Amino acid sequence: MTNNFLTTIRSLKLIEGCKAAQIYAFSAAAGAAGASTSGSGGDGGGGSGGKPPPPPPPRSLSVRSASLCYPHAPSTSGAFVAADSPLPCGLPVAAALEPALDACLRPVDHVEALAASFRRMSSAEAEGDDLCDVFLEQHALFHALGDARLLRRALRAARVHATDPHRRVVLAAWLRYERREDEFNPTPPPLAACTPTTPLLECPRAAVFAGESPGVDPVCPCRRPPPPPPTPPAPRFGRSASSAAAADQMGGEEDGDGETNDLWFVVGEEEVECERSCIAALSKPLSTLLYGGFAEAQRDRIDFTRDGITPRGMRAVAAYSRHGRLDDFPTDTILELLAFANKFCCEGLKSACDNKLATMVTGVDDALSLVDLGLEEAAHLLVATCLQAFLRELPKSLSNPDVARLLCSPEGRERLDIAGNASFALYYFLSSVAMEEDIRSNTTVMLLERLCECAELPWQKQLALHQLGCVMLERGEFKDAQGWFEDAIAEGHMYSLAGVARSKYKRGHKYSAYKMMNSIMGDYEAAGWMYQERSLYCVGKEKMADLRIASELDPTLSYPFKYRAVALLEEDKIESAIAEISKVIGFKLVTDCLELRAWFYLALEEYEAAVRDIRAILTLDPNYMMFHGKMHGEQLIEILRGHVQQWDMADCWMQLYDRWSEVDDTGSLAVVQQMLTREPGNSSLRFRQSLLLLRHKAAMRSLRFARNCSAHEHERLVYEGWILYDTGHREEALAKAEQSIKIQRSFEAFFLKAYALGDSSLDTESALSVVQLLEHANSCASDNLRKGQAYNNMGSIYVDCDLLDEAAECYNIALNIKHTRAHQGLARVHYLKNRKKAAYGEMSELIKVAKDSASAYEKRSEYGERDEARSDLNMATLLDPTRTYPYRYRAAVLMDENKEDEAIGELSQAIAFKADLQLLHLRAAFFDSMGDSASAVRDCEAALCLDPAHGDTLELYRKASTKAEPQS
């Protein structure tokens, strides 16, 4: 069987020409060849300054995005394999693994950086300065923390405080881009009216036409009632009421006796009748022309034939001068009016034309036809609206040569700048999208160059220069990369030293790179990324020691785990290699680690486990390519069909039931993915997939697929309700659930309604009504997987109502249908009944099944004695070092034992790789109790940067600041 499998997979000829930059390299010679051809000269340099020739070509298609900001991004190096390996592309070799550099701001002391940002925000608020750039800086800082909620909060705050249409347009489009997975229709027309659940901050009309003060109009313009019928305008420009009420006629003929024509403009062979005082009121130059010392002041006929306006355009000027409004003039006429307004400095007319033209832009085609005219005439709102159309079509619009020429070229930036529509915010957004799509493209480089040109503040220069260095490194232009990194260092970004070291290493200066990392470790407090980077430039025991320390200082770094795993593989310790890589998969489900583990399973000929991991990968990224981007996961699964047991749908349901009961989320994802290959349109399975992907960014995609695949209206309403609930629209979600129930009673509709109602503080009567809804849900057709969840939720509500016997009954029913997680609820019931030992035993039952569950150990620690609690929390940290409760507990115990330094050290250990609000608040409280008010103030400021409204921290901050003032 094995020989047949290897023969089949070798027949694909994957090894030949396998030179895509991917996670692992496959030949030292190929890697060297790739380095020599990717740049110029023997050092891999890519030309002077790394400036690719404009205009940029359309974005090249790539199977996998190579974003440096994420840990699953492919490495810049090729991948090396053993020449005699029987596997496709051979086996990975440890020496070829290489971690990606973070293409974001990474301060050496991120706590101090967060505190400084909070101080700048407070100062700007106090002095009434522009806060938009302050929040954009926070957005850049939050990237290194990896918290999507913080990133979105910073963008929202920047949008709220954007005082000009340009930045409002950019930030509204950015918010919409980041939320594109949350919409029922992820690709609406770019300037379409908002839906009832579209946030006001994303409204395209509010971005362009809102007043300058943040929050000036809380109602979305798209949802305002239609305006009342127009009333006759008030007298304008010194005219009588009768003439103001005259009908609006393009020819300017008298309509009644109130309209006076005392001036005629001659355009070619036509004469346009006007009122001298009205025309003069349009601008000071026209007033001087008609009433000043010029000859025209004495004439009643003035020749405008050579002034670039048509008779029709002049009649429109006359109409506007009389009535002060633009009626339904065609676009070319309004453009004539705009040109006339610019020529004669008619600010009111120009503003009216600008507004009118901006409302005419409905999409990219309109924007392309009007943007050049808007730039020529400096029509700021028109250009902003055209820009908005381009931004809301990203990344697709960047493949349009005309759009790319405007946004990417230096000339385009200068034209946008003249029209008041070029900014750091614009190119920050554009370059982020481009890097996500294809980090090696010319488009990405050119946008980053424009970002550098717009950078004014130190943090802006640091970010732009560092990102250019990262892109050049990915492109193999190592000499240019080194130059950009050095420029970033000169601006104060010390993390770019790692980029300089990596560039030198790529150019063959390994010892110089090693010395550089040594110097930074001597100058600054050690961090995990420093040891990780230095490990690249040493070998043997020293390398393994650096990787061990890197994992201790920052266990979220995946490269040390991957290197150790592959090193164990090279020693023929495949089981140990699998155990090592499984450590990081246990708390960080990422595709590159799953692929590596699947590779190990293939080497071990454990094909069932390999297929499980491949299916999990395809759930997270349906387009993922295995083996250096040469084979799609589905293709590999098809090759392995003869080596794994084949299940029909009934078998799959049984397997899913077992995996769910064993709290095996990866296995459950794999089973659901297999079922979806048989029934891709099964909305119920898509919904199950979204539940398993909870808190993963792929969850919303699955939920939207479920909605789009729904064959029945009542199902579609339920899935729409969950989308609304997950995006913060609780009332709208309840309405969807009620609509669904009216059409057909179903488990999911009742469950959604109960869940949405239960997500608030309820009195006993309201809580019991939620229980009744869950009972209605269980009376409807469903499977035990969902019914177990309903009984578990009922138990939780009974506990909150202090009905412990009823809660225990619900939990036991859930356990009888193998809802294993109900052990946790039953343990809580035992604890509340003062049966602490029984609670501990109940959690032990859960741990027997979910032995790798950090949350189970963490929960059991609440029911054990102090030594047992410490042991459980140590195990929880070992399984998932990103959980903060164990650190806080251990620190509190140490503080109780008067071991203050050890308590601070325990918290500092976690804060070093996870700047968590609760950790920072607790450390600030410890510092305050120790009399170190300055450190307490710093930690409070950093915590308030993460959440400016956190009440406990605000109170502690005021207290510590009062103490710190006399000390300072």
Side-chain angles (χ1 to χ4, degrees):
M1 178 180 289
T2 302
N3 291 335
N4 291 337
F5 162 65
L6 294 175
T7 301
T8 304
I9 207 162
R10 281 170 180 152
S11 69
L12 296 172
K13 299 182 180 179
L14 294 176
I15 296 180
E16 289 85 340
C18 181
K19 296 184 180 177
Q22 282 287 337
I23 301 178
Y24 317 105
F26 62 88
S27 102
S36 64
T37 58
S38 60
S40 65
D43 61 3
S48 59
K51 310 291 193 289
R59 177 179 62 82
S60 60
L61 297 176
S62 61
V63 177
R64 293 175 59 198
S65 297
S67 172
L68 288 172
C69 298
Y70 300 98
H72 60 269
S75 169
T76 56
S77 64
F80 303 98
V81 299
D84 57 348
S85 172
L87 291 175
C89 299
L91 291 170
V93 175
L97 297 177
E98 187 176 297
L101 289 175
D102 291 332
C104 60
L105 287 184
R106 179 180 274 278
V108 176
D109 184 349
H110 62 274
V111 174
E112 178 54 40
L114 291 172
S117 179
F118 174 78
R119 290 193 293 271
R120 283 190 287 275
M121 179 183 70
S122 301
S123 175
E125 285 179 335
E127 297 174 10
D129 293 340
D130 186 9
L131 279 165
C132 183
D133 283 339
V134 175
F135 288 114
L136 277 179
E137 179 190 10
Q138 289 187 3
H139 180 269
L141 287 171
F142 292 160
H143 260 294
L145 305 182
D147 190 329
R149 293 171 300 177
L150 288 176
L151 290 169
R152 183 161 182 82
R153 198 208 74 207
L155 273 184
R156 286 173 57 86
R159 165 64 183 87
V160 166
H161 291 90
T163 56
D164 56 280
H166 166 69
R167 287 189 298 178
R168 287 199 299 265
V169 160
V170 171
L171 294 167
W174 199 341
L175 284 167
R176 174 66 188 87
Y177 179 81
E178 294 295 336
R179 204 179 57 83
R180 61 196 183 279
E181 292 286 354
D182 299 352
E183 290 288 341
F184 300 151
N185 175 15
T187 56
L191 301 181
C194 297
T195 66
T197 57
T198 301
L200 172 61
L201 295 178
E202 296 176 22
C203 174
R205 290 182 61 190
V208 177
F209 300 109
E212 291 192 357
S213 300
V216 70
D217 189 351
V219 180
C220 174
C222 301
R223 296 196 282 271
R224 286 197 199 115
T231 57
R236 298 187 61 162
F237 309 125
R239 300 170 56 237
S240 64
S242 60
S243 67
D248 179 17
Q249 297 183 11
M250 288 283 281
E253 293 86 352
E254 293 185 11
D255 185 12
D257 298 331
E259 195 169 274
T260 303
N261 296 322
D262 56 1
L263 178 67
W264 288 262
F265 285 97
V266 179
V267 183
E269 297 181 356
E270 295 190 42
E271 293 184 352
V272 179
E273 299 169 321
C274 301
E275 190 169 342
R276 183 181 294 268
S277 63
C278 293
I279 296 294
L282 290 176
S283 72
K284 189 170 182 178
L286 285 173
S287 177
T288 302
L289 176 72
L290 298 177
Y291 287 106
F294 294 96
E296 285 79 2
Q298 308 304 319
R299 298 175 182 169
D300 56 7
R301 280 174 172 75
I302 300 174
D303 188 1
F304 260 29
T305 303
R306 296 184 181 87
D307 282 276
I309 191 166
T310 65
R312 181 171 185 166
M314 198 62 222
R315 283 194 289 272
V317 172
Y320 177 82
S321 72
R322 287 189 169 99
H323 309 307
R325 67 176 187 268
L326 293 175
D327 293 307
D328 295 328
F329 300 145
T331 304
D332 57 344
T333 301
I334 297 177
L335 290 170
E336 277 194 78
L337 290 177
L338 180 61
F340 179 90
N342 273 326
K343 187 168 188 176
F344 292 100
C345 303
C346 307
E347 293 302 325
L349 177 58
K350 177 178 179 179
S351 177
C353 293
D354 198 3
N355 274 276
K356 185 74 173 178
L357 289 167
T359 62
M360 294 180 173
V361 179
T362 60
V364 173
D365 291 339
D366 291 336
L368 284 171
S369 66
L370 290 172
V371 69
D372 286 334
L373 293 166
L375 289 167
E376 289 171 9
E377 301 295 344
H380 303 322
L381 286 184
L382 173 58
V383 175
T385 308
C386 294
L387 188 61
Q388 182 166 235
F390 302 148
L391 296 180
R392 286 176 177 254
E393 282 283 281
L394 289 173
K396 178 183 175 182
S397 57
L398 282 178
S399 62
N400 185 306
D402 295 325
V403 176
R405 190 175 300 110
L406 175 65
L407 297 179
C408 301
S409 68
E411 298 78 15
R413 189 198 69 81
E414 290 175 6
R415 296 181 70 200
L416 288 170
D417 193 26
I418 292 169
N421 277 278
S423 66
F424 182 87
L426 170 64
Y427 289 102
Y428 184 19
F429 175 30
L430 287 170
S431 59
S432 298
V433 174
M435 290 175 71
E436 185 178 328
E437 283 296 298
D438 185 358
I439 197 168
R440 299 177 182 87
S441 71
N442 286 349
T443 298
T444 301
V445 175
M446 297 182 76
L447 287 171
L448 285 171
E449 289 172 348
R450 305 293 80 76
L451 187 68
C452 283
E453 293 167 1
C454 292
E456 296 177 354
L457 301 174
W459 74 267
Q460 295 175 347
K461 294 176 183 178
Q462 293 173 20
L463 178 64
L465 293 167
H466 178 73
Q467 287 187 330
L468 260 173
C470 291
V471 170
M472 291 303 174
L473 191 67
E474 281 288 312
R475 288 162 63 98
E477 300 174 18
F478 306 126
K479 185 176 181 180
D480 292 333
Q482 182 177 333
W484 291 116
F485 285 131
E486 288 171 346
D487 290 344
I489 294 167
E491 294 294 337
H493 192 239
M494 293 300 105
Y495 176 69
S496 294
L497 282 166
V500 175
R502 189 77 66 92
S503 302
K504 288 186 174 183
Y505 171 64
K506 291 290 187 179
R507 298 174 65 194
H509 308 304
K510 185 175 181 180
Y511 183 62
S512 178
Y514 179 82
K515 286 197 301 181
M516 177 161 285
M517 291 312 301
N518 267 345
S519 68
I520 190 174
M521 292 166 72
D523 294 339
Y524 298 95
E525 185 176 350
W529 64 264
M530 298 178 187
Y531 282 93
Q532 174 178 271
E533 190 66 27
R534 192 176 71 172
S535 72
L536 294 174
Y537 316 130
C538 52
V539 294
K541 292 182 179 179
E542 186 178 0
K543 185 183 190 78
M544 298 306 290
D546 275 356
L547 290 173
R548 176 180 54 78
I549 297 172
S551 290
E552 291 172 358
L553 293 175
D554 187 352
T556 64
L557 297 172
S558 58
Y559 168 73
F561 293 95
K562 293 196 289 185
Y563 184 90
R564 287 190 292 263
V566 178
L568 288 166
L569 176 72
E570 292 175 342
E571 298 172 5
D572 291 330
K573 299 176 180 177
I574 303 181
E575 291 86 353
S576 298
I578 291 171
E580 182 67 25
I581 200 63
S582 296
K583 290 178 184 177
V584 68
I585 292 173
F587 65 89
K588 189 164 67 170
L589 195 65
V590 288
T591 50
D592 61 338
C593 292
L594 282 167
E595 180 186 5
L596 191 56
R597 190 169 71 175
W599 208 328
F600 294 163
Y601 280 128
L602 288 175
L604 202 59
E605 299 184 12
E606 291 189 8
Y607 302 123
E608 296 277 1
V611 168
R612 177 202 62 200
D613 282 352
I614 296 166
R615 290 193 182 281
I617 290 168
L618 292 173
T619 302
L620 301 175
D621 182 358
N623 298 317
Y624 196 89
M625 303 293 287
M626 306 285 291
F627 303 132
H628 322 302
K630 290 297 180 180
M631 181 187 290
H632 192 276
E634 290 287 3
Q635 187 181 358
L636 181 56
I637 289 172
E638 184 62 28
I639 291 172
L640 293 170
R641 277 180 63 88
H643 304 271
V644 296
Q645 185 175 356
Q646 298 302 307
W647 300 328
D648 58 22
M649 288 298 286
D651 294 329
C652 286
W653 276 110
M654 292 299 296
Q655 290 293 327
L656 179 60
Y657 191 59
D658 290 342
R659 302 285 193 280
W660 185 281
S661 301
E662 293 167 5
V663 199
D664 178 7
D665 289 343
T666 304
S668 300
L669 284 172
V671 174
V672 171
Q673 198 276 339
Q674 180 175 355
M675 297 167 80
L676 283 169
T677 58
R678 293 174 177 268
E679 298 181 7
N682 189 320
S683 60
S684 175
L685 288 174
R686 289 288 182 188
F687 179 60
R688 302 301 176 101
Q689 191 178 63
S690 74
L691 296 176
L692 289 165
L693 289 167
L694 191 62
R695 290 182 293 277
H696 195 284
K697 64 180 181 180
M700 190 59 72
R701 182 184 65 225
S702 296
L703 192 51
R704 198 179 67 247
F705 281 159
R707 182 258 183 191
N708 293 341
C709 293
S710 300
H712 305 287
E713 176 71 6
H714 71 277
E715 286 182 354
R716 184 180 61 79
L717 288 167
V718 169
Y719 302 141
E720 287 181 359
W722 278 114
I723 292 173
L724 290 167
Y725 179 83
D726 288 344
T727 53
H729 300 282
R730 178 175 168 273
E731 295 301 325
E732 291 85 350
L734 273 171
K736 292 286 185 182
E738 289 166 355
Q739 283 180 260
S740 179
I741 291 169
K742 287 179 182 177
I743 297 172
Q744 180 171 325
R745 292 165 58 91
S746 68
F747 176 92
E748 295 300 349
F750 280 115
F751 190 92
L752 170 60
K753 184 175 181 181
Y755 200 91
L757 285 173
D759 186 22
S760 60
S761 299
L762 300 175
D763 55 30
T764 301
E765 184 178 351
S766 301
L768 293 179
S769 69
V770 174
V771 170
Q772 189 174 21
L773 286 171
L774 291 170
E775 288 173 345
H776 288 325
N778 277 336
S779 68
C780 299
S782 187
D783 56 79
N784 284 344
L785 296 177
R786 297 298 284 149
K787 287 181 182 288
Q789 183 65 62
Y791 280 115
N792 193 69
N793 289 10
M794 288 164 63
S796 298
I797 296 169
Y798 279 131
V799 168
D800 292 340
C801 296
D802 203 26
L803 300 172
L804 300 183
D805 292 337
E806 289 84 349
E809 182 181 357
C810 289
Y811 287 130
N812 280 315
I813 293 173
L815 287 171
N816 288 337
I817 54 179
K818 292 190 176 182
H819 188 79
T820 312
R821 294 167 176 84
H823 281 296
Q824 183 170 320
L826 194 54
R828 186 182 174 199
V829 171
H830 287 312
Y831 180 74
L832 292 172
K833 288 184 173 183
N834 295 318
R835 298 201 294 258
K836 191 175 179 180
K837 188 173 182 180
Y840 186 88
E842 198 68 44
M843 287 306 302
S844 299
E845 291 298 314
L846 175 58
I847 289 172
K848 286 180 183 177
V849 178
K851 60 181 72 70
D852 294 329
S853 172
S855 63
Y857 282 101
E858 185 177 295
K859 194 66 181 176
R860 190 174 73 170
S861 71
E862 298 178 18
Y863 310 131
E865 301 302 326
R866 176 167 285 194
D867 289 342
E868 292 173 326
R870 282 180 173 175
S871 176
D872 279 346
L873 291 175
N874 289 340
M875 178 59 74
T877 298
L878 186 66
L879 292 171
D880 184 355
T882 64
R883 301 182 74 88
T884 61
Y885 173 74
Y887 297 97
R888 289 186 279 126
Y889 177 89
R890 289 190 291 263
V893 170
L894 289 167
M895 206 68 178
D896 288 342
E897 297 172 351
N898 295 319
K899 298 177 180 177
E900 296 175 340
D901 291 340
E902 290 90 335
I904 294 294
E906 181 70 29
L907 294 174
S908 299
Q909 178 186 353
I911 290 171
F913 63 87
K914 185 170 184 177
D916 175 77
L917 173 65
Q918 298 293 338
L919 291 172
L920 287 165
H921 174 81
L922 185 58
R923 192 171 73 170
F926 286 178
F927 276 131
D928 183 63
S929 68
M930 295 163 60
D932 188 351
S933 298
S935 296
V937 166
R938 179 204 60 203
D939 281 359
C940 284
E941 289 171 340
L944 291 171
C945 185
L946 302 176
D947 183 0
H950 192 254
D952 291 342
T953 305
L954 283 168
E955 183 179 350
L956 178 60
Y957 182 49
R958 286 191 289 267
K959 175 183 171 185
S961 298
T962 304
K963 292 180 181 178
E965 287 174 4
Q967 293 178 8
S968 61

